[in-house]
Amino acid sequence: MIAENATTKSLPPWLEKTDYILKQRLLPLGLFVQLTGMLWIGSNGGYISQTYIWCLFPGLVSLLIDLYRFGPKACLKGMTTGEKMLGILFLWMQVHPLFAPGGMDIGTVFNRIIKIVLYLYVVRTVVLHMEKPEKLLLVAAGVATAFAAATMIYQFGVLDRPMGVRALGEHGYRIAALGIGEFAGFNNPILAALYYGCFASILCGYLAARPFQWQKSVPAILGVVVLGGFIVFSGSRGPLIALLAMIGVAIFLCQYTWKKYLISAITAVGAITAFLLQTEILAQLDRVLANGFNGRFVNWSMAVDYIILNPLGYGAYADYEGPLWRGVILQHPHNMLLNVSYYWGAPTGLVFIAISIWSLGNAAIQRRKLLMSIAGCCLVFGQVGMITDTYSFLIRPDLQWLMFFFPVALCAATKSTK
């Protein structure tokens, strides 16, 4: 975030030491809390508070020190193209309530934007200053894998819930929460599947960027299997499709010398599985097409009609009256692109697309870099997952941060390194 030719001010020794502790100790800890805290802190309110304390507040102090040391102009010059587009997006969202007063007020929008900007700064700073930031991400993925395994063992083993694969028409208990206190207490199986899918993406990005090594690759593969199993038993079709898309991209991008054999083997297994389960797969496909993907098709069509009627948007979190589906009126478009376009206008949707393309393009070009490989897999999973199952953009710390802002920040930080 700093221009290369920036003039540096000298800091007092105590402030220099404070800055070192922030960048080397507190910010990595804060990012770890933000990534995994909703699993082990125990309550949503506690998780948000801890994210503010350990992640965003140290990030604010570190940012103020950087602004003092290098100056605002140098910090702005050091921004990547993706960060500048995010700046444009946030600026428009800030002034948008002036044109659409029916939604969230300017003060609340500003509060949400500042928190997201601080989070982007924290991710970027950890990547730039931590010696091996990938270790932090892999440890976080390990924690998520442990909780996913514990959830399946407790729900299906201890509580003896009926198992089923909803994608194949075998209905059973759809796992979401661990069931022990409020730990890993996701209220919705879709949200749980999307959350664990983000960590499966981290592991796949690691596997794709590194040559196969038994001691390192096998645990990562087992982690993907466990997290993928959770997504299967959650009965959430959208996250499952996102997972398969992400794994497919990771396989084609991986650096294994025997990649072609891996692709051939997976293709053969997939073809055999599809042949053996063709009746169930075709039945599920017919059911999905018949009900319009749980009402998504008719809802998306209605959202497009709303956007055409008012291209500048209706305001942040303005009322959205979707179609009646199974006795319930859908409260939002169930698609991130349509969400941002409905609330903040079609131009916002175009900038959102531009940011996504920039991030995916850079991740693909620099896929040999480990963090870019991880960012690319997270972006693919997030982009596919956000097609059907996300509901908000300017939100407090939540899984939407992991699905979009986290990989975008990774791309920006890794692109800025030499």
Side-chain angles (χ1 to χ4, degrees):
M1 195 174 174
I2 310 298
E4 292 182 4
N5 58 350
T7 302
T8 303
K9 293 181 181 179
S10 60
L11 298 178
W14 67 270
L15 189 56
E16 189 77 47
K17 185 175 182 180
T18 300
D19 188 50
Y20 175 84
I21 293 174
L22 285 169
K23 289 182 168 61
Q24 298 292 331
R25 300 289 185 268
L26 287 182
L27 293 188
L29 172 62
L31 181 57
F32 180 78
V33 169
Q34 191 277 322
L35 291 172
T36 65
M38 63 181 71
L39 295 171
W40 49 269
I41 288 179
S43 71
N44 189 52
Y47 162 71
I48 292 174
S49 298
Q50 294 301 312
T51 301
Y52 291 164
I53 293 170
W54 295 104
C55 182
L56 301 189
F57 178 71
L60 174 61
V61 177
S62 179
L63 176 59
L64 292 175
I65 293 175
D66 281 348
L67 289 173
Y68 171 77
R69 174 183 287 180
F70 302 103
K73 185 180 292 187
C75 293
L76 290 174
K77 284 184 177 180
M79 293 174 64
T80 62
T81 302
E83 289 171 324
K84 291 176 182 177
M85 287 190 289
L86 274 172
I88 295 172
L89 186 69
F90 290 146
L91 180 61
W92 168 249
M93 288 181 169
Q94 182 60 64
V95 302
H96 188 261
L98 299 175
F99 305 99
M104 189 182 292
D105 62 88
I106 292 179
T108 305
V109 172
F110 180 76
N111 180 277
R112 298 282 177 89
I113 289 175
I114 287 298
K115 290 171 182 175
I116 293 173
V117 169
L118 286 174
Y119 176 64
L120 294 168
Y121 171 81
V122 168
V123 176
R124 200 181 200 280
T125 302
V126 169
V127 171
L128 294 177
H129 292 272
M130 190 175 179
E131 185 176 351
K132 291 185 177 181
E134 63 272 12
K135 287 187 176 181
L136 172 66
L137 304 185
L138 293 173
V139 170
V143 171
T145 302
F147 271 93
T151 301
M152 289 188 287
I153 292 171
Y154 185 70
Q155 291 294 331
F156 296 133
V158 178
L159 299 182
D160 199 25
R161 304 278 194 183
M163 299 178 69
V165 181
R166 183 169 175 247
L168 296 178
E170 299 176 9
H171 292 275
Y173 181 73
R174 298 181 63 185
I175 55 174
L178 173 59
I180 301 175
E182 295 183 324
F183 299 104
F186 299 97
N187 297 322
N188 187 300
I190 297 175
L191 300 182
L194 289 172
Y195 178 78
Y196 284 116
C198 293
F199 294 99
S201 303
I202 290 175
L203 294 177
C204 283
Y206 170 80
L207 289 168
R210 288 289 184 264
F212 183 86
Q213 296 177 321
W214 285 101
Q215 290 183 334
K216 297 180 179 180
S217 300
V218 171
I221 293 172
L222 293 176
V224 174
V225 171
V226 170
L227 295 169
F230 184 100
I231 293 174
V232 169
F233 292 121
S234 74
S236 306
R237 298 187 186 98
L240 179 58
I241 294 172
L243 177 72
L244 294 176
M246 181 274 296
I247 291 177
V249 170
I251 290 173
F252 278 98
L253 296 181
C254 73
Q255 299 189 49
Y256 302 155
T257 54
W258 39 272
K259 179 173 69 174
K260 59 181 179 180
Y261 302 109
L262 176 64
I263 295 174
S264 299
I266 292 177
T267 302
V269 171
I272 294 172
T273 303
F275 176 76
L276 295 176
L277 301 175
Q278 59 179 315
T279 302
E280 292 84 353
I281 293 173
L282 291 175
Q284 285 297 306
L285 183 60
D286 288 341
R287 187 175 291 111
V288 167
L289 294 176
N291 66 19
F293 211 71
N294 282 350
R296 298 296 198 271
F297 295 160
V298 65
N299 191 26
W300 295 339
S301 177
M302 184 171 289
V304 171
D305 291 339
Y306 281 137
I307 294 167
I308 293 174
L309 186 64
N310 184 7
L312 291 182
Y314 295 85
Y317 303 102
D319 291 337
Y320 175 86
E321 187 173 346
L324 182 67
W325 180 254
R326 294 180 178 175
V328 178
I329 296 178
L330 300 181
Q331 300 292 323
H332 59 88
H334 283 83
N335 176 287
M336 185 57 75
L337 177 59
L338 294 178
N339 263 292
V340 297
S341 300
Y342 173 83
Y343 294 112
W344 290 285
T348 308
L350 294 175
V351 178
F352 176 82
I353 292 174
I355 295 170
S356 301
I357 292 175
W358 178 87
S359 301
L360 287 167
N362 279 288
I365 292 171
Q366 302 185 67
R367 60 186 178 274
R368 296 301 181 234
K369 291 183 178 180
L370 175 55
L371 290 179
M372 277 295 199
S373 178
I374 291 175
C377 288
C378 289
L379 280 165
V380 171
F381 178 83
Q383 291 294 318
V384 177
M386 288 190 293
I387 291 175
T388 60
D389 294 309
T390 49
Y391 62 92
S392 183
F393 192 75
L394 283 185
I395 195 170
R396 295 185 299 173
D398 207 333
L399 73 93
Q400 269 79 15
W401 283 25
L402 298 184
M403 295 177 69
F404 183 75
F405 296 116
F406 171 68
V408 169
L410 278 183
C411 284
T414 309
K415 180 172 174 57
S416 66
T417 59
K418 299 298 182 182

